Amino acid sequence: MEVGFLGLGIMGKAMSLNLLRHGFKVTVWNRSPSKCDELVEYGASTAESPAAVVKKCKYTFAMLSNPVAALSVVFDKDGVLEQISDGKGYIDMSTVDADTSSKISEAISSKGGYFLEAPVSGSKKPAEDGQLVILAAGEKTLYDEVIPAFDVLGKKSFFLGQVGNGAKMKLVVNMIMGSMMNAFSEGLVLAERSGLEPGNLLDVLELGAIANPMFKLKGPSMIQSNYSPAFPLKHQQKDMRLALALADEHAVSMPVAAAANEAFKKARSVGLGDLDFSAVHEIFKVQEPPS
Amino acid sequence: MEVGFLGLGIMGKAMSLNLLRHGFKVTVWNRSPSKCDELVEYGASTAESPAAVVKKCKYTFAMLSNPVAALSVVFDKDGVLEQISDGKGYIDMSTVDADTSSKISEAISSKGGYFLEAPVSGSKKPAEDGQLVILAAGEKTLYDEVIPAFDVLGKKSFFLGQVGNGAKMKLVVNMIMGSMMNAFSEGLVLAERSGLEPGNLLDVLELGAIANPMFKLKGPSMIQSNYSPAFPLKHQQKDMRLALALADEHAVSMPVAAAANEAFKKARSVGLGDLDFSAVHEIFKVQEPPS
Amino acid sequence: MEVGFLGLGIMGKAMSLNLLRHGFKVTVWNRSPSKCDELVEYGASTAESPAAVVKKCKYTFAMLSNPVAALSVVFDKDGVLEQISDGKGYIDMSTVDADTSSKISEAISSKGGYFLEAPVSGSKKPAEDGQLVILAAGEKTLYDEVIPAFDVLGKKSFFLGQVGNGAKMKLVVNMIMGSMMNAFSEGLVLAERSGLEPGNLLDVLELGAIANPMFKLKGPSMIQSNYSPAFPLKHQQKDMRLALALADEHAVSMPVAAAANEAFKKARSVGLGDLDFSAVHEIFKVQEPPS
Amino acid sequence: MEVGFLGLGIMGKAMSLNLLRHGFKVTVWNRSPSKCDELVEYGASTAESPAAVVKKCKYTFAMLSNPVAALSVVFDKDGVLEQISDGKGYIDMSTVDADTSSKISEAISSKGGYFLEAPVSGSKKPAEDGQLVILAAGEKTLYDEVIPAFDVLGKKSFFLGQVGNGAKMKLVVNMIMGSMMNAFSEGLVLAERSGLEPGNLLDVLELGAIANPMFKLKGPSMIQSNYSPAFPLKHQQKDMRLALALADEHAVSMPVAAAANEAFKKARSVGLGDLDFSAVHEIFKVQEPPS
């Protein structure tokens, strides 16, 4: 199977390598061409532009760093649009907002091409190990055709329906995660203030029905007030806000998510926005002996 | 090691059997004596009253169904108090409130006895398999002495400090659990209303950082509006209330738990109190096309 | 009309004086007898104990500073209980909790006496001006009989039904007030942060549908971060907590009151409990440029 | 003073009449010309288009029903823009969003004209009585020049700074109002469920520190579950949402407003969006005996 791949950042490079290792013929392109070299060593071909990649390959994957880059490779000169045509498929695995996704989808379709948005859950390590979770939405036929590639890139892929649903699914998951992080923080502070060892709480949680990787990973550093940013609090709060906006559209009342969102805003208001989202823990702490 | 055991309900019977199987000499008592018979087949002795058990054994465990029963075996005629004395230990593994625990603790201590409260997390199956989680608090010396028994009864035991801390730890855990259940319910409703398959949400959650046994167990039945009571909603709400009261005492602000508590109250107000606590899901559903 | 009056603090003294000025014959008693002197100048008689007052008068009013004092004048030696009897009425206008009120009510009734709880809204100035609002509950017959006295003491009296209802009404009113204070504080902070003059907000509010004396009185000092305690924040938060507990009993979900309660708790947690309840304003302020 | 007036709906007609009665020379225009007739009887002149009005008058006021109409009279053929020029002023008193206001403001300024947004608080009756509250923002010079007109139209006008501030002020006020309505509804339900007469609660509130016209006006109909729409719930909820979005921009945490917003959303979700915003009362009611 011959595929194109646009974007060789940390994620894209790891993903292209996995495709090569599993026997795919891969034609790569990256804005800075030097990043293509290592892939060539592993057997990749290169092309001089997104348009050239699409001209050569039936299926082209993209993994760009942000919405601006995602739009640029499609709409700019020598971009995807110039060569996309009947029967060709374009699969954008970047994490972008619904509007960006829709614009790309409409442009591709208007030229007769097929489109999938396919944002992933998982970062560098799962990308290298082919253990991503892929949230695809758009053209079902295209999804079925590229399953062999998704099987190499991820441990699991989902087809979620129309374009936009991939982004929505990420919002819903992140919203639940944000509320859980608040509940967890409240629990840690309550434990400590009422004379329990927070470390014991972590151990008890780990053995029960609500044990989960996030509590296990973040708990110990939260106890030490260590909030090195893995997922910045301001981004978590933005996702809470977008999930609440989605809920507003559909008249879904979400009082717990709303309370969690306000707590994240409080954290932003005291300058914690660039720390890890677990830093919301700080705002629940009791600063003075209560009167 | 020779131990006494008071209370042979579902939990107590399974626990006594485990002790017998692991070589403990066990003297049992139950309010309805017939329940002792099966244990006798497995090698247990019997005694005619709590007092008689305590007279015979250095360590006596109890697993009663509620605070009234827990107080009764201690304070009534022929109760524990009549025979507890210097060097004897009493370990109450029932789930009771802090007041009940304190009363028993003070009475035992005033006679020179040692006391542990040791509520457990886990129900019938973990009790049979010796896989309970034991939250002990009270006399550290006694805790150290009965560790061999705890090792048989549970997969893990904790010593949490002074009497009352076992109950507090359960409250903190249940509070986090209650907030999580609300966040999960909100997410399920938002997913469905915004055009996603709730079943896909469960699958995506299961593969990510917040995967946990509760979501996995409850999710599928919640999607089918099936809320057979494992942990009744009114009890979950009571625990939220008590956790919030504990937080009030220590001036800990817990906006997410407070929002979750009001949602559970709303569920009670529409008659869902006797269903499983996951029935809070119902109150987030959208009943009419929004205007 | 001849009445007794127990308790001559700031409130009780002003109230007794009003009764005297309007032609009532008043027999007063106070724990420190010196406070009776001024009343005597205005025509009051004195008696040496609560019992002596009740023996002499058909109707005895009380205005004590707290529940301990309220219980003491009834149950202690030479207390009200010793002389209360068929046909005599006891009207306690102190602000006490429902339990205290119930205890006194039962004791009075068991001797054949009639009882009213009648807490008031309003402090020194309204007491002096006979402009209190009286929230009476208990024996309706007694209420009807003492209306002439209530007409002198207050601008309006209510009969609210069974004993306890006076206290409940105060809780409901204070709960609404506490939520309003939070809404007002949020609005002041939002105005300021988004480039509006908080003073203009006060002026606009004053001219509209939600204009109220509290916004008018507290607004200007809140803008200057001046929170001299008129009603201490910790007492407001206690009332929110009690109102939420009452709501819990009746399965009433109150998400806004719950959020306001957590905000007041947050204020306590940073040491603002002894300031005026308007100090909750402080916790909404933004301390750092948000990232 | 000669002024133009665009838009003769319920509000615009009443406002033009007031100007005429106080000696202003008024040139009116309305999309359906028939509405101009009555004004002509009172001495108004007419013009055939917004452009013609502006050509004739130094100052032109507008009171249109919605953003679409507000944009149309400015940008369409024969619109305001065609004749606005150096030294002329345009005062838009319609209630529109910030974006609409900004577009109009920029267009007017680019032609050398002066602009004020001046949304009002108050509906038909205050418009007729010249008792509106005017929230003006934009060009201070223009504000100063048209004060004589504002004095006729309103009981009070404010100059709030840059364009957009009028709309923001309305949002802040409506947000406080929405939270208050929730607090009030919770109180009414709590009163009733705990054995108090809601009517007594209204009377007590009316006599105290939080008495306000809204409680007085809405309370009696809310008790009768009468929610004829004066201000539709869905519009109130939209304003809460916009106020929360404004707060998000400035990192202001508003947990009480957020809880109130979710309650309004809940009300929308059960089909109450087209009723009066006081219909949020319905969602706090207890439907079943709690278990």
Side-chain angles (χ1 to χ4, degrees):
Chain A
M1 193 168 176
E2 175 143 19
V3 301
F5 207 104
L6 311 179
L8 299 175
I10 291 170
M11 297 291 288
K13 181 180 152 190
M15 292 159 79
S16 309
L17 267 173
N18 273 331
L19 289 169
L20 287 165
R21 281 182 192 132
H22 285 80
F24 286 76
K25 292 187 178 174
V26 187
T27 301
V28 299
W29 170 87
N30 192 63
R31 191 162 301 274
S32 341
S34 61
K35 288 214 179 167
C36 298
D37 296 349
E38 193 179 346
L39 276 297
V40 170
E41 283 178 36
Y42 284 88
S45 311
T46 62
E48 60 192 6
S49 70
V53 172
V54 172
K55 183 175 183 185
K56 186 171 169 199
C57 308
K58 188 170 181 194
Y59 306 112
T60 301
F61 295 81
M63 190 60 166
L64 289 322
S65 58
N66 57 44
V68 172
L71 290 167
S72 167
V73 301
V74 172
F75 291 96
D76 283 3
K77 185 168 176 338
D78 298 324
V80 169
L81 265 198
E82 295 183 5
Q83 290 293 336
I84 199 85
S85 62
D86 259 14
K88 286 188 183 263
Y90 183 62
I91 305 102
D92 190 348
M93 304 184 74
S94 322
T95 291
V96 300
D97 57 287
D99 270 5
T100 299
S101 219
S102 292
K103 269 183 208 157
I104 296 174
S105 172
E106 281 161 30
I108 300 285
S109 303
S110 70
K111 298 272 185 170
Y114 294 133
F115 178 71
L116 274 185
E117 65 170 357
V120 302
S121 155
S123 50
K124 188 184 176 191
K125 189 68 168 44
E128 291 173 348
D129 299 346
Q131 294 292 305
L132 297 166
V133 176
I134 298 167
L135 306 176
E139 193 67 48
K140 180 66 162 63
T141 316
L142 177 54
Y143 174 77
D144 290 337
E145 288 170 12
V146 299
I147 279 184
F150 284 165
D151 284 349
V152 161
L153 298 171
K155 63 180 167 186
K156 176 84 182 171
S157 73
F158 294 90
F159 180 74
L160 301 172
Q162 65 190 24
V163 168
N165 283 358
K168 281 182 199 168
M169 184 61 86
K170 284 201 77 169
L171 280 186
V172 175
V173 170
N174 280 5
M175 175 199 81
I176 299 174
M177 182 170 76
S179 293
M180 275 174 65
M181 179 50 85
N182 271 272
F184 185 45
S185 296
E186 291 178 355
L188 283 170
V189 173
L190 178 56
E192 200 220 335
R193 291 287 299 179
S194 62
L196 301 170
E197 286 290 331
N200 280 340
L201 175 58
L202 296 189
D203 290 341
V204 172
L205 286 170
E206 180 59 21
L207 293 161
I210 54 176
N212 66 83
M214 179 176 79
F215 287 2
K216 189 170 188 173
L217 178 69
K218 302 278 183 185
S221 33
M222 288 166 73
I223 291 177
Q224 291 163 38
S225 302
N226 175 352
Y227 310 111
S228 314
F231 183 38
L233 191 142
K234 65 184 175 190
H235 293 167
Q236 168 70 69
Q237 196 258 317
K238 188 193 66 184
D239 283 356
M240 295 299 286
R241 172 161 49 84
L242 292 174
L244 283 159
L246 184 63
D248 196 281
E249 225 175 278
H250 297 286
V252 177
S253 180
M254 307 200 303
V256 167
N261 185 41
E262 296 307 315
F264 282 124
K265 274 205 283 180
K266 181 73 195 164
R268 273 177 60 212
S269 84
V270 295
L272 305 171
D274 290 321
L275 297 183
D276 190 63
F277 75 116
S278 55
V280 74
H281 181 224
E282 285 298 307
I283 70 155
F284 297 112
K285 291 187 178 171
V286 176
Q287 292 159 260
E288 302 253 335
S291 55
Chain B
M1 195 169 176
E2 175 143 19
V3 300
F5 206 103
L6 310 180
L8 299 174
I10 290 170
M11 296 293 286
K13 183 180 150 189
M15 293 159 79
S16 308
L17 267 173
N18 273 332
L19 290 169
L20 286 164
R21 281 183 193 131
H22 285 80
F24 285 77
K25 291 188 178 172
V26 187
T27 300
V28 299
W29 171 89
N30 192 64
R31 191 162 300 272
S32 340
S34 62
K35 290 213 176 168
C36 298
D37 297 349
E38 193 180 346
L39 277 297
V40 169
E41 283 177 35
Y42 285 87
S45 309
T46 64
E48 62 191 5
S49 70
V53 172
V54 174
K55 184 175 182 184
K56 189 171 167 197
C57 308
K58 189 171 181 192
Y59 306 112
T60 300
F61 295 81
M63 190 60 164
L64 290 321
S65 57
N66 57 45
V68 172
L71 290 166
S72 168
V73 302
V74 172
F75 291 97
D76 283 2
K77 186 167 173 345
D78 298 324
V80 168
L81 264 197
E82 294 184 6
Q83 290 294 336
I84 200 85
S85 62
D86 260 15
K88 284 187 185 263
Y90 183 62
I91 304 100
D92 191 348
M93 303 185 75
S94 322
T95 292
V96 299
D97 57 287
D99 271 4
T100 299
S101 218
S102 291
K103 270 183 205 157
I104 295 174
S105 173
E106 280 161 29
I108 300 286
S109 302
S110 72
K111 296 275 185 168
Y114 293 134
F115 178 72
L116 274 185
E117 64 170 358
V120 302
S121 155
S123 51
K124 190 184 174 191
K125 189 68 168 44
E128 290 173 350
D129 300 346
Q131 294 291 307
L132 297 166
V133 176
I134 299 166
L135 306 175
E139 193 67 50
K140 179 65 161 64
T141 317
L142 177 54
Y143 174 76
D144 291 336
E145 288 170 11
V146 299
I147 279 184
F150 283 164
D151 285 348
V152 162
L153 298 171
K155 63 180 166 184
K156 176 83 179 171
S157 74
F158 294 89
F159 181 76
L160 302 172
Q162 66 190 23
V163 169
N165 283 359
K168 280 181 201 169
M169 183 61 86
K170 285 202 75 169
L171 279 186
V172 175
V173 170
N174 280 4
M175 176 200 80
I176 298 174
M177 182 170 75
S179 293
M180 275 174 64
M181 178 52 83
N182 272 272
F184 185 44
S185 297
E186 292 177 353
L188 282 169
V189 173
L190 178 56
E192 201 221 334
R193 291 288 299 180
S194 61
L196 301 170
E197 284 291 329
N200 279 343
L201 174 59
L202 297 190
D203 290 341
V204 173
L205 286 171
E206 181 60 20
L207 293 162
I210 55 175
N212 65 84
M214 180 176 80
F215 286 3
K216 189 171 188 173
L217 178 69
K218 301 279 182 185
S221 33
M222 288 166 74
I223 290 176
Q224 292 164 37
S225 302
N226 176 353
Y227 311 109
S228 313
F231 182 37
L233 190 143
K234 66 186 175 188
H235 293 167
Q236 168 70 70
Q237 196 259 317
K238 189 192 66 183
D239 283 356
M240 295 299 287
R241 172 162 50 85
L242 292 174
L244 283 159
L246 184 63
D248 196 282
E249 224 175 277
H250 297 286
V252 177
S253 182
M254 307 200 302
V256 167
N261 184 41
E262 297 307 316
F264 282 124
K265 273 205 282 180
K266 181 73 192 164
R268 273 176 60 211
S269 84
V270 294
L272 304 171
D274 290 322
L275 297 182
D276 190 62
F277 75 116
S278 54
V280 76
H281 181 223
E282 286 298 307
I283 70 156
F284 296 112
K285 292 188 178 170
V286 176
Q287 292 158 261
E288 302 252 336
S291 53
Chain C
M1 196 168 176
E2 175 143 20
V3 302
F5 207 105
L6 311 180
L8 300 173
I10 291 169
M11 296 292 286
K13 182 181 150 189
M15 293 158 79
S16 309
L17 267 172
N18 274 332
L19 290 168
L20 286 164
R21 282 183 191 130
H22 285 79
F24 286 77
K25 293 190 177 171
V26 187
T27 302
V28 300
W29 171 88
N30 192 65
R31 190 163 300 275
S32 340
S34 62
K35 292 214 176 166
C36 299
D37 296 349
E38 192 180 346
L39 277 297
V40 170
E41 283 177 35
Y42 285 88
S45 310
T46 63
E48 60 191 6
S49 70
V53 172
V54 173
K55 185 176 182 183
K56 188 173 168 195
C57 308
K58 188 170 180 194
Y59 306 111
T60 301
F61 295 81
M63 190 60 166
L64 291 319
S65 56
N66 57 45
V68 171
L71 290 166
S72 168
V73 301
V74 173
F75 291 97
D76 282 2
K77 189 170 175 335
D78 298 324
V80 169
L81 264 198
E82 293 184 7
Q83 289 293 337
I84 199 86
S85 61
D86 261 13
K88 284 187 184 264
Y90 183 63
I91 304 100
D92 190 350
M93 303 185 75
S94 322
T95 291
V96 300
D97 56 288
D99 271 4
T100 298
S101 218
S102 292
K103 269 183 206 158
I104 295 173
S105 173
E106 281 162 28
I108 300 286
S109 303
S110 73
K111 296 275 186 170
Y114 294 134
F115 178 72
L116 274 185
E117 65 170 359
V120 303
S121 155
S123 50
K124 190 185 174 188
K125 189 71 169 44
E128 289 171 352
D129 299 345
Q131 294 292 307
L132 296 167
V133 175
I134 299 167
L135 307 175
E139 193 68 48
K140 179 66 162 61
T141 317
L142 177 54
Y143 174 77
D144 291 337
E145 288 170 12
V146 299
I147 279 183
F150 284 165
D151 283 349
V152 162
L153 298 171
K155 63 179 167 187
K156 176 83 180 171
S157 73
F158 295 90
F159 180 75
L160 302 172
Q162 66 190 23
V163 169
N165 283 359
K168 280 181 199 168
M169 184 61 86
K170 285 201 75 168
L171 280 186
V172 174
V173 170
N174 281 3
M175 176 200 81
I176 297 173
M177 182 172 75
S179 293
M180 275 174 64
M181 179 50 84
N182 272 272
F184 184 45
S185 297
E186 291 177 355
L188 283 169
V189 173
L190 178 57
E192 200 221 333
R193 291 289 298 180
S194 60
L196 301 169
E197 285 291 331
N200 280 342
L201 175 59
L202 297 189
D203 290 340
V204 173
L205 286 171
E206 181 58 20
L207 294 161
I210 54 175
N212 66 84
M214 179 176 80
F215 287 2
K216 189 170 190 175
L217 179 69
K218 302 280 182 184
S221 34
M222 288 167 72
I223 289 176
Q224 291 163 39
S225 303
N226 176 352
Y227 311 110
S228 313
F231 184 37
L233 190 142
K234 65 185 175 189
H235 293 167
Q236 168 69 70
Q237 195 258 317
K238 188 191 66 183
D239 282 356
M240 296 298 287
R241 171 162 48 84
L242 292 174
L244 283 160
L246 185 62
D248 196 282
E249 226 175 275
H250 297 287
V252 177
S253 181
M254 307 200 303
V256 167
N261 184 42
E262 297 307 316
F264 283 124
K265 274 205 282 179
K266 181 72 194 167
R268 274 176 61 210
S269 85
V270 295
L272 305 171
D274 290 322
L275 297 183
D276 190 61
F277 75 116
S278 54
V280 74
H281 181 223
E282 285 296 307
I283 70 156
F284 297 112
K285 292 187 178 170
V286 175
Q287 292 159 261
E288 302 250 336
S291 54
Chain D
M1 194 168 177
E2 175 143 17
V3 302
F5 206 105
L6 310 180
L8 299 174
I10 292 170
M11 297 292 288
K13 183 181 150 190
M15 293 159 78
S16 309
L17 268 172
N18 273 332
L19 289 168
L20 286 164
R21 282 183 192 130
H22 286 80
F24 286 77
K25 293 189 177 171
V26 186
T27 301
V28 299
W29 171 89
N30 192 64
R31 190 162 301 275
S32 341
S34 63
K35 291 213 177 170
C36 299
D37 297 349
E38 193 179 346
L39 276 299
V40 170
E41 283 177 36
Y42 284 88
S45 310
T46 61
E48 60 191 6
S49 70
V53 173
V54 172
K55 185 175 182 185
K56 185 171 171 198
C57 309
K58 188 170 182 195
Y59 306 112
T60 301
F61 295 82
M63 190 59 165
L64 290 321
S65 58
N66 56 45
V68 171
L71 290 166
S72 168
V73 302
V74 173
F75 291 97
D76 282 2
K77 186 169 174 337
D78 297 323
V80 170
L81 264 198
E82 293 184 6
Q83 290 293 337
I84 198 87
S85 61
D86 260 13
K88 286 190 183 260
Y90 183 62
I91 304 101
D92 190 349
M93 304 185 75
S94 322
T95 291
V96 300
D97 56 288
D99 270 5
T100 298
S101 217
S102 291
K103 270 184 206 156
I104 296 173
S105 172
E106 281 162 28
I108 300 287
S109 302
S110 71
K111 298 272 185 170
Y114 294 133
F115 178 72
L116 273 185
E117 65 170 358
V120 303
S121 155
S123 49
K124 190 185 176 190
K125 188 71 170 41
E128 290 171 351
D129 299 346
Q131 294 292 306
L132 297 167
V133 176
I134 298 167
L135 307 175
E139 193 68 49
K140 181 66 162 63
T141 317
L142 176 55
Y143 174 77
D144 291 336
E145 288 169 12
V146 299
I147 279 183
F150 284 164
D151 283 349
V152 162
L153 298 170
K155 63 181 167 187
K156 177 83 181 170
S157 73
F158 295 89
F159 180 74
L160 301 172
Q162 66 190 22
V163 169
N165 283 359
K168 279 181 201 170
M169 183 61 87
K170 283 203 76 168
L171 280 187
V172 175
V173 170
N174 281 3
M175 175 199 82
I176 297 174
M177 182 171 75
S179 293
M180 274 174 65
M181 179 50 83
N182 271 272
F184 185 44
S185 297
E186 290 178 355
L188 282 170
V189 173
L190 178 57
E192 200 221 334
R193 292 287 300 178
S194 62
L196 301 170
E197 286 292 330
N200 280 341
L201 175 58
L202 297 188
D203 291 340
V204 173
L205 286 171
E206 181 58 21
L207 294 161
I210 55 175
N212 65 85
M214 179 175 80
F215 287 2
K216 189 170 189 174
L217 178 69
K218 302 278 183 185
S221 35
M222 289 167 72
I223 290 176
Q224 290 163 39
S225 303
N226 175 352
Y227 310 110
S228 313
F231 183 38
L233 190 143
K234 64 185 176 188
H235 293 167
Q236 168 69 70
Q237 196 258 317
K238 187 192 67 182
D239 283 356
M240 295 299 288
R241 171 161 51 84
L242 292 174
L244 283 160
L246 185 63
D248 196 282
E249 225 176 276
H250 297 286
V252 177
S253 181
M254 308 200 302
V256 167
N261 184 42
E262 297 306 317
F264 282 123
K265 274 204 282 178
K266 181 74 195 165
R268 273 176 61 211
S269 84
V270 295
L272 304 170
D274 290 322
L275 297 183
D276 190 63
F277 76 116
S278 54
V280 74
H281 182 223
E282 287 296 307
I283 70 155
F284 297 113
K285 291 188 177 170
V286 176
Q287 293 160 258
E288 302 251 334
S291 53

